[in-house]
Amino acid sequence: MRLGGSYSSGEQEFTGSPSQEYRLAGGDITVRYQDLFRAQYEYAMREEEASTSGEGKVDGQTVEVEGRIWKKPRISLVCRYDTIEHSGSFGESFTERWSWGPAITLGSSVLILNHEHWMFDTSLNNEDVIGFRWAAWF
């Protein structure tokens, strides 16, 4: 198990503008059992003064669970839920996303195929997306 957190605050100043305070915070926890199972939760937020109309805030969270279903080649099933919420001078919005699909490890890369279901709180309709990602590391 691994647990982490962070907090930062300060002032930012754009040329010719008054300074604005900001605060950042986040935390996460990961639970892993050998190479068979992994669960992770993460929360992050940012608050800042808006130069003309009070404070703005963005925060979000994610929960991800991965379970290995095949050893060689390594294939796992990944399920994820995440949110993001905006509030402040540009209004308020909230978005949720569910995602799931297989992740196939290919040497020093991983191929991810997934289905994503996006839910918006605005007048937009919900969206379904099929994703294809390939990431490599050196």
Side-chain angles (χ1 to χ4, degrees):
M1 180 169 27
R2 186 173 66 192
L3 181 66
S6 63
Y7 177 81
S8 177
S9 66
E11 290 184 358
Q12 59 186 1
E13 183 177 352
F14 299 104
T15 304
S17 299
S19 65
Q20 300 170 326
E21 292 184 9
Y22 68 90
R23 291 167 295 286
L24 306 167
D28 65 273
I29 184 168
T30 301
V31 176
R32 183 182 304 266
Y33 179 71
Q34 297 178 353
D35 187 33
L36 298 174
F37 174 81
R38 176 184 59 84
Q40 178 178 334
Y41 172 80
E42 182 176 349
Y43 172 81
M45 61 77 75
R46 176 185 174 100
E47 292 179 339
E48 65 185 22
E49 292 180 323
S51 57
T52 58
S53 58
E55 289 197 354
K57 181 178 180 181
V58 177
D59 69 324
Q61 61 184 335
T62 181
V63 177
E64 186 172 284
V65 177
E66 179 180 13
R68 188 181 77 194
I69 55 178
W70 198 267
K71 190 170 183 174
K72 291 203 181 206
R74 186 184 191 287
I75 301 174
S76 61
L77 181 62
V78 179
C79 299
R80 179 181 176 108
Y81 170 75
D82 52 76
T83 67
I84 189 164
E85 183 173 4
H86 297 265
S87 61
S89 58
F90 294 111
E92 297 187 13
S93 67
F94 182 75
T95 304
E96 296 175 278
R97 176 179 65 165
W98 285 96
S99 176
W100 68 278
I104 306 160
T105 302
L106 306 166
S108 60
S109 68
V110 64
L111 174 66
I112 302 169
L113 308 169
N114 71 327
H115 170 257
E116 299 177 5
H117 181 70
W118 290 75
M119 297 158 284
F120 304 98
D121 68 346
T122 61
S123 62
L124 299 173
N125 294 324
N126 294 340
E127 292 289 331
D128 288 289
V129 176
I130 301 297
F132 171 83
R133 296 168 182 83
W134 181 49
W137 52 91
F138 305 94

